Amino acid sequence: MSDDQTPAEEFNEVADAAAEELIALRAENQALKDQVLRVAADAENAKRRAEREANDARAYAIQKFGRDLLAVADTLDRALAAPVDDPAVKNFVIGMEMTQKSLIGAFESNGLKKIDPPKGEKFDPHQHQAMMEQPSADVPAGGVIQVLQPGYELLGRLIRPAMVVVAAKGSGAEAPAADPAPSGANPYAVGDGESGGSVDTKA
């Protein structure tokens, strides 16, 4: 303490210095907290990015193999769709159905999912490929009438769209047609709603 300082003044100086140091420590503490949060967020983002890249690598690795197996699934589908009348062949067909079931199970366990839209489902350009359009009495316009070939997606990534027949415009339940114009009336005549649309032809 200097000779011209009172104890109160010295105490105030010490208190001010302590307050400034406390403010500085709090600021440093907050900065460290922010830094820890940033590091944790970066670590979480890196983890998610690594998981996504691993999933993509896995998907790409088995994508070609999956596509090659789709030909086997298509062959089984076509074989099972054929009518069978011979009792001796029915046991063979049962074996083929079991093989198909095992193949589909192997597909699903490895992330390969079949896209086989039911009749009437809305056409989805992200999963379906329209091969043709046909009028339909029971399927609304833009709905799937028939699946020509099922599609497949691998771990959420489309590897083959489902080839479908789509209901043409005007299919399904249609709005009732407007009443036809009376016989002999001019459908192009412009009326005012009061006079019935008659036109004075006198010169």
Side-chain angles (χ1 to χ4, degrees), residues 66-107:
R67 276 208 190 100
D68 292 341
L69 285 180
L70 295 187
V72 179
D74 293 339
T75 303
L76 281 172
D77 286 342
R78 286 192 292 270
L80 292 172
V84 177
D85 296 325
D86 190 348
V89 182
K90 287 187 177 180
N91 288 335
F92 177 71
V93 172
I94 292 172
M96 289 180 63
E97 289 174 345
M98 294 174 64
T99 302
Q100 183 191 43
K101 187 176 180 180
S102 297
L103 181 63
I104 296 299
F107 282 173

Side-chain angles (χ1 to χ4, degrees), residues 14 31 47 49 79 84 89 96 133-134 137 170 178 189:
V14 173
K47 179 183 176 183
R49 187 165 53 250
V84 177
V89 182
M96 289 180 63
E133 282 190 342
Q134 289 181 354

Side-chain angles (χ1 to χ4, degrees), residues 175-200:
D179 293 335
S183 177
N186 181 359
Y188 301 104
V190 179
D192 57 7
E194 298 289 334
S195 60
S198 60
V199 179
D200 187 2

